[in-house]
Amino acid sequence: MFVSKKLLFLPIALLLILTVGCTILLPRQFASNPHLAFGNPSNASNIDPNNYLIEKPQYVLSYNRDKGIPNWVSWELNQSWLGEAPRSNNFRPDDTLPEDWYRVTPNDYTRSGFDKGHMIPSADRSNNPDNNAATFLMTNIIPQAPDNNQGYWARLEDYERTLANEGYELHIISGVYGQKGTIARGKVSIPARIFKIIVATTSERSINDSTKIIAVDTPNINGNRETNWTEFLTSIDAIEKNTGYNFLSNLSPSLQNLVESKVASVIEVKPKSSSHKN
C-alpha cells in the first residue's frame, strides 16, 4: 500500500526542492541516480524480491523475481546517449541477480510467440557498445506481442529519440501491469498492458505546469500493428490508478497533481528518417 502523496512528500519537498514561481528545479544531487531524478515509482529496494531495485549506469529498474520480468524501467535520454554504436543483439541473463534466483535466458522465449521486448530500447543507448549491450540483459526484457513491439511501440520509441535529437531532456519510465499467461514453463509472465511516461523538458530536470508530459497505456496484443501510438494517450493519474505506483514523486504534491491529471498532446517535431532498433 502506498502512502498519500501529500503526507509522504510534502516534508521532502519543503526541504529539498527549490521552488521558483511555478517551476520546480531538481538539483543533480537530489537523486542518487540520474535515472531516478523524478522518483522511485514503487519504492523499490533490495528487500522485496518482487519489487527489487537494480541500478545500472544506463538505467534503473524494479525487477519481479516471481514473474521474471521488470515491473518498470526508468532512464534519462538526451543527445549524449545517442550515437552510431552497433546493435549488440547479445540477449543474456543478468548475473547481478541474487545467486539463488532463477535467471531468465533468451531460450525461455523460443517459440513462445512473443518478441523479446526491450523496456529501455537498444537505440536509446547507442553512444557506445557497452551502453548498448546493457539493454540486452534479460532483466530489461518482457514478452511483447510482435504487432505491439514492431508496430506502434517502435514508432513511439523513434519519436522519443526524435525529441532528444531536437534538444529535449527526457526522463522516461516504461513498465507493465496485469497478466495474461506465462511462457518458459511458468517462469516468465506475459503482461497484459505496457505503459510509458515521457517527461520532456528543455532544461535538465526542471519541470513546471507547462512541461510536456506524454503518457501511453497499450494492450500487449497482436492485430493492430498499424495503429498510431497516439491512440493510446492517457494521463499519469490513470496509469497510477491501474498500477498502484506513484510517479514523479520528487515533485511538490501540488505540481505533481497538476501535471499528472493532464492527457498530453503530441509535441510537434520534424520526423527524422531512421531504422528502428528496439
Side-chain angles (χ1 to χ4, degrees), residues 216-256:
V216 298
D217 188 339
T218 73
N220 189 21
I221 59 175
N222 284 317
N224 53 358
R225 182 180 295 216
E226 301 308 316
T227 302
N228 194 314
W229 62 265
T230 58
E231 296 297 315
F232 303 106
L233 284 170
T234 185
S235 68
I236 296 177
D237 274 345
I239 297 175
E240 287 186 330
K241 182 178 180 180
N242 288 327
T243 62
Y245 297 152
N246 183 10
F247 301 103
L248 309 186
S249 57
N250 284 352
L251 301 183
S252 68
S254 59
L255 184 57
Q256 188 182 3

mmCIF file of all heavy atoms in Angstrom, residues 216-256:
data_model
loop_
_atom_site.group_PDB
_atom_site.id
_atom_site.type_symbol
_atom_site.label_atom_id
_atom_site.label_comp_id
_atom_site.label_asym_id
_atom_site.label_seq_id
_atom_site.Cartn_x
_atom_site.Cartn_y
_atom_site.Cartn_z
ATOM 1 N N VAL A 216 1.286 6.917 -22.262
ATOM 2 C CA VAL A 216 0.534 5.979 -23.090
ATOM 3 C C VAL A 216 0.366 4.667 -22.329
ATOM 4 O O VAL A 216 1.209 4.285 -21.525
ATOM 5 C CB VAL A 216 1.218 5.716 -24.449
ATOM 6 C CG1 VAL A 216 1.327 6.982 -25.270
ATOM 7 C CG2 VAL A 216 2.594 5.097 -24.263
ATOM 8 N N ASP A 217 -0.722 3.988 -22.609
ATOM 9 C CA ASP A 217 -1.036 2.707 -21.981
ATOM 10 C C ASP A 217 -1.565 1.801 -23.089
ATOM 11 O O ASP A 217 -2.648 2.031 -23.630
ATOM 12 C CB ASP A 217 -2.082 2.915 -20.887
ATOM 13 C CG ASP A 217 -2.328 1.666 -20.062
ATOM 14 O OD1 ASP A 217 -2.028 0.556 -20.537
ATOM 15 O OD2 ASP A 217 -2.852 1.803 -18.934
ATOM 16 N N THR A 218 -0.790 0.772 -23.455
ATOM 17 C CA THR A 218 -1.115 -0.031 -24.629
ATOM 18 C C THR A 218 -1.444 -1.472 -24.262
ATOM 19 O O THR A 218 -0.879 -2.020 -23.311
ATOM 20 C CB THR A 218 0.059 -0.041 -25.636
ATOM 21 O OG1 THR A 218 1.122 -0.857 -25.118
ATOM 22 C CG2 THR A 218 0.580 1.366 -25.881
ATOM 23 N N PRO A 219 -2.315 -2.122 -25.033
ATOM 24 C CA PRO A 219 -2.548 -3.560 -24.833
ATOM 25 C C PRO A 219 -1.412 -4.364 -25.427
ATOM 26 O O PRO A 219 -0.877 -4.023 -26.485
ATOM 27 C CB PRO A 219 -3.866 -3.793 -25.585
ATOM 28 C CG PRO A 219 -3.833 -2.778 -26.693
ATOM 29 C CD PRO A 219 -3.141 -1.561 -26.119
ATOM 30 N N ASN A 220 -1.043 -5.434 -24.771
ATOM 31 C CA ASN A 220 0.032 -6.298 -25.254
ATOM 32 C C ASN A 220 -0.574 -7.396 -26.128
ATOM 33 O O ASN A 220 -0.663 -8.563 -25.745
ATOM 34 C CB ASN A 220 0.792 -6.894 -24.071
ATOM 35 C CG ASN A 220 2.047 -7.635 -24.497
ATOM 36 O OD1 ASN A 220 2.590 -7.414 -25.572
ATOM 37 N ND2 ASN A 220 2.516 -8.530 -23.636
ATOM 38 N N ILE A 221 -1.009 -6.975 -27.334
ATOM 39 C CA ILE A 221 -1.725 -7.892 -28.211
ATOM 40 C C ILE A 221 -1.261 -7.722 -29.653
ATOM 41 O O ILE A 221 -0.633 -6.721 -30.006
ATOM 42 C CB ILE A 221 -3.252 -7.648 -28.149
ATOM 43 C CG1 ILE A 221 -3.586 -6.194 -28.555
ATOM 44 C CG2 ILE A 221 -3.796 -7.967 -26.767
ATOM 45 C CD1 ILE A 221 -5.065 -5.906 -28.637
ATOM 46 N N ASN A 222 -1.606 -8.699 -30.481
ATOM 47 C CA ASN A 222 -1.402 -8.617 -31.919
ATOM 48 C C ASN A 222 -2.676 -8.119 -32.598
ATOM 49 O O ASN A 222 -3.747 -8.087 -31.998
ATOM 50 C CB ASN A 222 -1.018 -9.983 -32.486
ATOM 51 C CG ASN A 222 0.425 -10.347 -32.194
ATOM 52 O OD1 ASN A 222 1.321 -9.517 -32.308
ATOM 53 N ND2 ASN A 222 0.650 -11.596 -31.802
ATOM 54 N N GLY A 223 -2.517 -7.718 -33.868
ATOM 55 C CA GLY A 223 -3.690 -7.407 -34.662
ATOM 56 C C GLY A 223 -3.911 -5.948 -34.978
ATOM 57 O O GLY A 223 -4.809 -5.617 -35.752
ATOM 58 N N ASN A 224 -3.115 -5.043 -34.393
ATOM 59 C CA ASN A 224 -3.313 -3.616 -34.680
ATOM 60 C C ASN A 224 -1.969 -2.925 -34.890
ATOM 61 O O ASN A 224 -1.726 -1.838 -34.390
ATOM 62 C CB ASN A 224 -4.098 -2.933 -33.556
ATOM 63 C CG ASN A 224 -3.488 -3.155 -32.182
ATOM 64 O OD1 ASN A 224 -2.489 -3.862 -32.049
ATOM 65 N ND2 ASN A 224 -4.084 -2.560 -31.161
ATOM 66 N N ARG A 225 -1.075 -3.560 -35.639
ATOM 67 C CA ARG A 225 0.284 -3.071 -35.832
ATOM 68 C C ARG A 225 0.322 -1.656 -36.411
ATOM 69 O O ARG A 225 1.203 -0.869 -36.086
ATOM 70 C CB ARG A 225 1.066 -4.018 -36.732
ATOM 71 C CG ARG A 225 2.516 -3.602 -36.951
ATOM 72 C CD ARG A 225 3.269 -4.569 -37.841
ATOM 73 N NE ARG A 225 3.400 -5.875 -37.217
ATOM 74 C CZ ARG A 225 4.480 -6.637 -37.358
ATOM 75 N NH1 ARG A 225 5.490 -6.250 -38.089
ATOM 76 N NH2 ARG A 225 4.535 -7.813 -36.773
ATOM 77 N N GLU A 226 -0.611 -1.328 -37.291
ATOM 78 C CA GLU A 226 -0.588 -0.031 -37.961
ATOM 79 C C GLU A 226 -1.240 1.079 -37.150
ATOM 80 O O GLU A 226 -1.268 2.233 -37.581
ATOM 81 C CB GLU A 226 -1.268 -0.145 -39.334
ATOM 82 C CG GLU A 226 -0.617 -1.170 -40.256
ATOM 83 C CD GLU A 226 0.877 -0.953 -40.400
ATOM 84 O OE1 GLU A 226 1.304 0.213 -40.572
ATOM 85 O OE2 GLU A 226 1.630 -1.951 -40.347
ATOM 86 N N THR A 227 -1.766 0.776 -35.989
ATOM 87 C CA THR A 227 -2.380 1.798 -35.142
ATOM 88 C C THR A 227 -1.340 2.834 -34.741
ATOM 89 O O THR A 227 -0.190 2.511 -34.462
ATOM 90 C CB THR A 227 -2.977 1.161 -33.876
ATOM 91 O OG1 THR A 227 -3.940 0.190 -34.264
ATOM 92 C CG2 THR A 227 -3.637 2.206 -32.985
ATOM 93 N N ASN A 228 -1.741 4.106 -34.710
ATOM 94 C CA ASN A 228 -0.851 5.176 -34.256
ATOM 95 C C ASN A 228 -0.770 5.147 -32.733
ATOM 96 O O ASN A 228 -1.790 4.988 -32.051
ATOM 97 C CB ASN A 228 -1.387 6.528 -34.731
ATOM 98 C CG ASN A 228 -0.366 7.636 -34.608
ATOM 99 O OD1 ASN A 228 0.296 7.778 -33.580
ATOM 100 N ND2 ASN A 228 -0.227 8.433 -35.647
ATOM 101 N N TRP A 229 0.435 5.291 -32.206
ATOM 102 C CA TRP A 229 0.601 5.231 -30.742
ATOM 103 C C TRP A 229 -0.194 6.319 -30.026
ATOM 104 O O TRP A 229 -0.528 6.186 -28.840
ATOM 105 C CB TRP A 229 2.069 5.290 -30.342
ATOM 106 C CG TRP A 229 2.803 6.556 -30.722
ATOM 107 C CD1 TRP A 229 3.563 6.766 -31.839
ATOM 108 C CD2 TRP A 229 2.851 7.781 -29.979
ATOM 109 N NE1 TRP A 229 4.084 8.032 -31.844
ATOM 110 C CE2 TRP A 229 3.660 8.681 -30.716
ATOM 111 C CE3 TRP A 229 2.302 8.206 -28.774
ATOM 112 C CZ2 TRP A 229 3.913 9.979 -30.276
ATOM 113 C CZ3 TRP A 229 2.559 9.500 -28.331
ATOM 114 C CH2 TRP A 229 3.352 10.364 -29.077
ATOM 115 N N THR A 230 -0.528 7.394 -30.726
ATOM 116 C CA THR A 230 -1.294 8.477 -30.103
ATOM 117 C C THR A 230 -2.705 8.028 -29.719
ATOM 118 O O THR A 230 -3.367 8.689 -28.917
ATOM 119 C CB THR A 230 -1.367 9.694 -31.027
ATOM 120 O OG1 THR A 230 -1.961 9.311 -32.277
ATOM 121 C CG2 THR A 230 0.018 10.268 -31.293
ATOM 122 N N GLU A 231 -3.163 6.904 -30.290
ATOM 123 C CA GLU A 231 -4.476 6.383 -29.921
ATOM 124 C C GLU A 231 -4.503 5.903 -28.465
ATOM 125 O O GLU A 231 -5.570 5.701 -27.895
ATOM 126 C CB GLU A 231 -4.856 5.219 -30.846
ATOM 127 C CG GLU A 231 -5.025 5.597 -32.309
ATOM 128 C CD GLU A 231 -6.163 6.575 -32.516
ATOM 129 O OE1 GLU A 231 -7.246 6.364 -31.923
ATOM 130 O OE2 GLU A 231 -5.962 7.554 -33.260
ATOM 131 N N PHE A 232 -3.317 5.717 -27.878
ATOM 132 C CA PHE A 232 -3.233 5.172 -26.526
ATOM 133 C C PHE A 232 -2.849 6.245 -25.493
ATOM 134 O O PHE A 232 -2.484 5.905 -24.363
ATOM 135 C CB PHE A 232 -2.221 4.027 -26.491
ATOM 136 C CG PHE A 232 -2.540 2.928 -27.462
ATOM 137 C CD1 PHE A 232 -1.805 2.774 -28.630
ATOM 138 C CD2 PHE A 232 -3.587 2.058 -27.218
ATOM 139 C CE1 PHE A 232 -2.091 1.767 -29.531
ATOM 140 C CE2 PHE A 232 -3.885 1.035 -28.114
ATOM 141 C CZ PHE A 232 -3.145 0.900 -29.279
ATOM 142 N N LEU A 233 -2.918 7.506 -25.887
ATOM 143 C CA LEU A 233 -2.598 8.576 -24.932
ATOM 144 C C LEU A 233 -3.541 8.524 -23.729
ATOM 145 O O LEU A 233 -4.745 8.289 -23.867
ATOM 146 C CB LEU A 233 -2.702 9.943 -25.613
ATOM 147 C CG LEU A 233 -1.545 10.340 -26.542
ATOM 148 C CD1 LEU A 233 -1.905 11.591 -27.339
ATOM 149 C CD2 LEU A 233 -0.267 10.565 -25.744
ATOM 150 N N THR A 234 -2.972 8.774 -22.560
ATOM 151 C CA THR A 234 -3.756 8.777 -21.334
ATOM 152 C C THR A 234 -3.112 9.766 -20.370
ATOM 153 O O THR A 234 -2.305 10.603 -20.773
ATOM 154 C CB THR A 234 -3.821 7.353 -20.742
ATOM 155 O OG1 THR A 234 -4.689 7.343 -19.615
ATOM 156 C CG2 THR A 234 -2.439 6.845 -20.341
ATOM 157 N N SER A 235 -3.455 9.701 -19.116
ATOM 158 C CA SER A 235 -2.839 10.555 -18.102
ATOM 159 C C SER A 235 -1.995 9.713 -17.155
ATOM 160 O O SER A 235 -2.203 8.502 -17.029
ATOM 161 C CB SER A 235 -3.907 11.303 -17.297
ATOM 162 O OG SER A 235 -4.656 10.389 -16.504
ATOM 163 N N ILE A 236 -1.057 10.370 -16.491
ATOM 164 C CA ILE A 236 -0.276 9.669 -15.469
ATOM 165 C C ILE A 236 -1.191 9.205 -14.343
ATOM 166 O O ILE A 236 -1.027 8.102 -13.805
ATOM 167 C CB ILE A 236 0.855 10.558 -14.936
ATOM 168 C CG1 ILE A 236 1.856 10.878 -16.047
ATOM 169 C CG2 ILE A 236 1.581 9.879 -13.772
ATOM 170 C CD1 ILE A 236 2.969 11.810 -15.631
ATOM 171 N N ASP A 237 -2.172 10.016 -13.995
ATOM 172 C CA ASP A 237 -3.119 9.619 -12.950
ATOM 173 C C ASP A 237 -3.777 8.277 -13.279
ATOM 174 O O ASP A 237 -3.943 7.421 -12.404
ATOM 175 C CB ASP A 237 -4.206 10.686 -12.792
ATOM 176 C CG ASP A 237 -3.800 11.800 -11.845
ATOM 177 O OD1 ASP A 237 -2.819 11.629 -11.096
ATOM 178 O OD2 ASP A 237 -4.458 12.854 -11.864
ATOM 179 N N ALA A 238 -4.156 8.102 -14.543
ATOM 180 C CA ALA A 238 -4.825 6.860 -14.935
ATOM 181 C C ALA A 238 -3.881 5.667 -14.804
ATOM 182 O O ALA A 238 -4.294 4.588 -14.363
ATOM 183 C CB ALA A 238 -5.347 6.983 -16.365
ATOM 184 N N ILE A 239 -2.616 5.856 -15.181
ATOM 185 C CA ILE A 239 -1.648 4.763 -15.045
ATOM 186 C C ILE A 239 -1.389 4.460 -13.577
ATOM 187 O O ILE A 239 -1.248 3.301 -13.170
ATOM 188 C CB ILE A 239 -0.342 5.092 -15.789
ATOM 189 C CG1 ILE A 239 -0.610 5.245 -17.291
ATOM 190 C CG2 ILE A 239 0.715 4.013 -15.557
ATOM 191 C CD1 ILE A 239 0.595 5.677 -18.097
ATOM 192 N N GLU A 240 -1.313 5.495 -12.753
ATOM 193 C CA GLU A 240 -1.148 5.276 -11.309
ATOM 194 C C GLU A 240 -2.301 4.460 -10.744
ATOM 195 O O GLU A 240 -2.104 3.558 -9.911
ATOM 196 C CB GLU A 240 -1.045 6.613 -10.587
ATOM 197 C CG GLU A 240 0.275 7.324 -10.791
ATOM 198 C CD GLU A 240 0.393 8.580 -9.942
ATOM 199 O OE1 GLU A 240 -0.640 9.206 -9.650
ATOM 200 O OE2 GLU A 240 1.527 8.933 -9.584
ATOM 201 N N LYS A 241 -3.511 4.763 -11.197
ATOM 202 C CA LYS A 241 -4.682 4.036 -10.703
ATOM 203 C C LYS A 241 -4.600 2.561 -11.060
ATOM 204 O O LYS A 241 -4.953 1.684 -10.255
ATOM 205 C CB LYS A 241 -5.950 4.650 -11.284
ATOM 206 C CG LYS A 241 -7.240 3.999 -10.791
ATOM 207 C CD LYS A 241 -8.463 4.686 -11.364
ATOM 208 C CE LYS A 241 -9.742 4.025 -10.876
ATOM 209 N NZ LYS A 241 -10.957 4.695 -11.430
ATOM 210 N N ASN A 242 -4.091 2.267 -12.249
ATOM 211 C CA ASN A 242 -4.032 0.876 -12.709
ATOM 212 C C ASN A 242 -2.856 0.095 -12.124
ATOM 213 O O ASN A 242 -2.918 -1.128 -12.032
ATOM 214 C CB ASN A 242 -3.948 0.846 -14.233
ATOM 215 C CG ASN A 242 -5.257 1.243 -14.898
ATOM 216 O OD1 ASN A 242 -6.334 0.964 -14.376
ATOM 217 N ND2 ASN A 242 -5.175 1.901 -16.043
ATOM 218 N N THR A 243 -1.791 0.789 -11.755
ATOM 219 C CA THR A 243 -0.579 0.105 -11.287
ATOM 220 C C THR A 243 -0.354 0.195 -9.784
ATOM 221 O O THR A 243 0.375 -0.628 -9.216
ATOM 222 C CB THR A 243 0.664 0.690 -11.978
ATOM 223 O OG1 THR A 243 0.778 2.080 -11.629
ATOM 224 C CG2 THR A 243 0.579 0.554 -13.493
ATOM 225 N N GLY A 244 -0.908 1.226 -9.140
ATOM 226 C CA GLY A 244 -0.617 1.477 -7.731
ATOM 227 C C GLY A 244 0.684 2.216 -7.507
ATOM 228 O O GLY A 244 1.099 2.422 -6.365
ATOM 229 N N TYR A 245 1.360 2.647 -8.581
ATOM 230 C CA TYR A 245 2.636 3.343 -8.462
ATOM 231 C C TYR A 245 2.417 4.839 -8.243
ATOM 232 O O TYR A 245 1.340 5.371 -8.506
ATOM 233 C CB TYR A 245 3.488 3.134 -9.722
ATOM 234 C CG TYR A 245 3.870 1.699 -9.969
ATOM 235 C CD1 TYR A 245 4.106 1.239 -11.270
ATOM 236 C CD2 TYR A 245 3.990 0.781 -8.927
ATOM 237 C CE1 TYR A 245 4.461 -0.086 -11.513
ATOM 238 C CE2 TYR A 245 4.341 -0.531 -9.162
ATOM 239 C CZ TYR A 245 4.576 -0.958 -10.458
ATOM 240 O OH TYR A 245 4.923 -2.267 -10.691
ATOM 241 N N ASN A 246 3.472 5.486 -7.800
ATOM 242 C CA ASN A 246 3.437 6.933 -7.545
ATOM 243 C C ASN A 246 4.546 7.577 -8.369
ATOM 244 O O ASN A 246 5.703 7.622 -7.956
ATOM 245 C CB ASN A 246 3.644 7.200 -6.051
ATOM 246 C CG ASN A 246 3.540 8.679 -5.715
ATOM 247 O OD1 ASN A 246 3.143 9.492 -6.540
ATOM 248 N ND2 ASN A 246 3.905 9.026 -4.491
ATOM 249 N N PHE A 247 4.189 8.066 -9.543
ATOM 250 C CA PHE A 247 5.165 8.657 -10.449
ATOM 251 C C PHE A 247 5.443 10.115 -10.092
ATOM 252 O O PHE A 247 4.621 10.780 -9.464
ATOM 253 C CB PHE A 247 4.677 8.562 -11.891
ATOM 254 C CG PHE A 247 4.434 7.152 -12.352
ATOM 255 C CD1 PHE A 247 3.142 6.648 -12.452
ATOM 256 C CD2 PHE A 247 5.488 6.310 -12.659
ATOM 257 C CE1 PHE A 247 2.909 5.345 -12.862
ATOM 258 C CE2 PHE A 247 5.276 5.012 -13.070
ATOM 259 C CZ PHE A 247 3.982 4.526 -13.165
ATOM 260 N N LEU A 248 6.602 10.589 -10.496
ATOM 261 C CA LEU A 248 7.013 11.997 -10.292
ATOM 262 C C LEU A 248 6.930 12.381 -8.823
ATOM 263 O O LEU A 248 6.611 13.521 -8.467
ATOM 264 C CB LEU A 248 6.148 12.941 -11.138
ATOM 265 C CG LEU A 248 6.004 12.608 -12.620
ATOM 266 C CD1 LEU A 248 5.247 13.718 -13.349
ATOM 267 C CD2 LEU A 248 7.341 12.341 -13.284
ATOM 268 N N SER A 249 7.262 11.441 -7.959
ATOM 269 C CA SER A 249 7.060 11.653 -6.524
ATOM 270 C C SER A 249 8.036 12.653 -5.914
ATOM 271 O O SER A 249 7.835 13.077 -4.771
ATOM 272 C CB SER A 249 7.179 10.316 -5.782
ATOM 273 O OG SER A 249 8.436 9.713 -6.035
ATOM 274 N N ASN A 250 9.082 13.038 -6.650
ATOM 275 C CA ASN A 250 10.003 14.046 -6.130
ATOM 276 C C ASN A 250 9.506 15.474 -6.338
ATOM 277 O O ASN A 250 10.146 16.413 -5.882
ATOM 278 C CB ASN A 250 11.384 13.902 -6.777
ATOM 279 C CG ASN A 250 12.165 12.728 -6.214
ATOM 280 O OD1 ASN A 250 11.750 12.109 -5.235
ATOM 281 N ND2 ASN A 250 13.290 12.414 -6.816
ATOM 282 N N LEU A 251 8.381 15.624 -7.020
ATOM 283 C CA LEU A 251 7.804 16.952 -7.198
ATOM 284 C C LEU A 251 6.975 17.336 -5.984
ATOM 285 O O LEU A 251 6.569 16.495 -5.187
ATOM 286 C CB LEU A 251 6.912 16.982 -8.444
ATOM 287 C CG LEU A 251 7.566 16.642 -9.785
ATOM 288 C CD1 LEU A 251 6.540 16.792 -10.897
ATOM 289 C CD2 LEU A 251 8.776 17.518 -10.049
ATOM 290 N N SER A 252 6.687 18.624 -5.869
ATOM 291 C CA SER A 252 5.773 19.061 -4.825
ATOM 292 C C SER A 252 4.400 18.447 -5.099
ATOM 293 O O SER A 252 4.015 18.254 -6.259
ATOM 294 C CB SER A 252 5.658 20.584 -4.809
ATOM 295 O OG SER A 252 5.004 21.044 -5.969
ATOM 296 N N PRO A 253 3.625 18.126 -4.074
ATOM 297 C CA PRO A 253 2.313 17.499 -4.293
ATOM 298 C C PRO A 253 1.401 18.315 -5.209
ATOM 299 O O PRO A 253 0.701 17.743 -6.043
ATOM 300 C CB PRO A 253 1.743 17.390 -2.883
ATOM 301 C CG PRO A 253 2.942 17.298 -2.001
ATOM 302 C CD PRO A 253 3.959 18.200 -2.635
ATOM 303 N N SER A 254 1.415 19.631 -5.074
ATOM 304 C CA SER A 254 0.515 20.446 -5.894
ATOM 305 C C SER A 254 0.878 20.372 -7.372
ATOM 306 O O SER A 254 0.013 20.213 -8.235
ATOM 307 C CB SER A 254 0.540 21.898 -5.417
ATOM 308 O OG SER A 254 1.851 22.443 -5.496
ATOM 309 N N LEU A 255 2.174 20.462 -7.688
ATOM 310 C CA LEU A 255 2.592 20.383 -9.080
ATOM 311 C C LEU A 255 2.416 18.968 -9.608
ATOM 312 O O LEU A 255 2.000 18.756 -10.760
ATOM 313 C CB LEU A 255 4.048 20.823 -9.218
ATOM 314 C CG LEU A 255 4.598 20.883 -10.651
ATOM 315 C CD1 LEU A 255 3.762 21.804 -11.529
ATOM 316 C CD2 LEU A 255 6.058 21.356 -10.641
ATOM 317 N N GLN A 256 2.706 17.979 -8.780
ATOM 318 C CA GLN A 256 2.534 16.587 -9.183
ATOM 319 C C GLN A 256 1.080 16.328 -9.578
ATOM 320 O O GLN A 256 0.802 15.751 -10.635
ATOM 321 C CB GLN A 256 2.937 15.674 -8.037
ATOM 322 C CG GLN A 256 2.989 14.196 -8.396
ATOM 323 C CD GLN A 256 3.346 13.323 -7.205
ATOM 324 O OE1 GLN A 256 3.508 13.822 -6.096
ATOM 325 N NE2 GLN A 256 3.455 12.036 -7.423
#
